[in-house]
Amino acid sequence: MVLVGEFFLAEDDESAVRVGPRKSHDFPAVPCDGIYPDDAVPRWEALLTGAESPLRYVVPMANDGFTVFAVPQALSTALAGASADQLSTTARTWAGTLSEMGEELGPRSAIDLLERLSALAMSRAERGPSLYCWYFAP
């Protein structure tokens, strides 16, 4: 299971590679502990847009279990423009998929995560930086 992770806004890849466990930063961020974000992001994108974009890894995962990737622009845009109903439906579907795979994340927690991520994506649209994610899965 993932121990720690977060979605965050950064100006560019160079800035994004400087984040990680036990590295403080001042980027706007949403924690995503307890999930595999590189599995969740394509699922969310498919549910919200009907398509999947490949993830672009800024720091590829190595033997240490740490990675950073850029969230696809299509998902960032979809999250920023999603209605509360769309986010709720996406979150409930995703939580159901996790449950089928033996992972536990309740629908309320899934909805809360996507609502906070949507707010972050909206602020990205206003500010201009890109949405990234890092996580550590030892």
Side-chain angles (χ1 to χ4, degrees), residues 108-124:
R108 185 66 239 161
S109 295
I111 292 168
D112 181 59
L113 174 59
L114 283 182
E115 287 174 345
R116 289 182 294 125
L117 193 52
S118 175
L120 186 63
M122 279 189 264
S123 75
R124 180 212 57 83

Side-chain angles (χ1 to χ4, degrees), residues 10 14 54 59 86 125 130 132 136-137:
E14 284 183 23
V59 176
Q86 289 172 306
S130 295
Y132 293 88
F136 177 62

Side-chain angles (χ1 to χ4, degrees), residues 10-135:
E11 294 297 326
D12 53 35
D13 291 357
E14 284 183 23
S15 299
V17 300
R18 294 193 296 260
V19 301
R22 296 180 297 278
K23 294 182 182 176
S24 62
H25 63 78
D26 60 354
F27 299 127
V30 171
C32 61
D33 299 349
I35 68 165
Y36 288 97
D38 58 346
D39 290 337
V41 163
R43 181 76 175 136
W44 297 337
E45 185 179 13
L47 291 167
L48 287 170
T49 70
E52 270 186 49
S53 305
L55 297 179
R56 184 175 60 80
Y57 288 88
V58 179
V59 176
M61 186 172 286
N63 291 338
D64 63 359
F66 176 75
T67 190
V68 178
F69 64 88
V71 173
Q73 182 64 40
L75 178 58
S76 293
T77 300
L79 285 166
S83 69
D85 285 343
Q86 289 172 306
L87 293 172
S88 178
T89 299
T90 298
R92 289 177 189 281
T93 301
W94 173 59
T97 302
L98 290 177
S99 180
E100 290 170 10
M101 295 172 21
E103 298 179 33
E104 286 303 316
L105 181 71
R108 185 66 239 161
S109 295
I111 292 168
D112 181 59
L113 174 59
L114 283 182
E115 287 174 345
R116 289 182 294 125
L117 193 52
S118 175
L120 186 63
M122 279 189 264
S123 75
R124 180 212 57 83
E126 295 168 4
R127 299 166 143 215
S130 295
L131 186 58
Y132 293 88
C133 182
W134 69 265
Y135 78 94

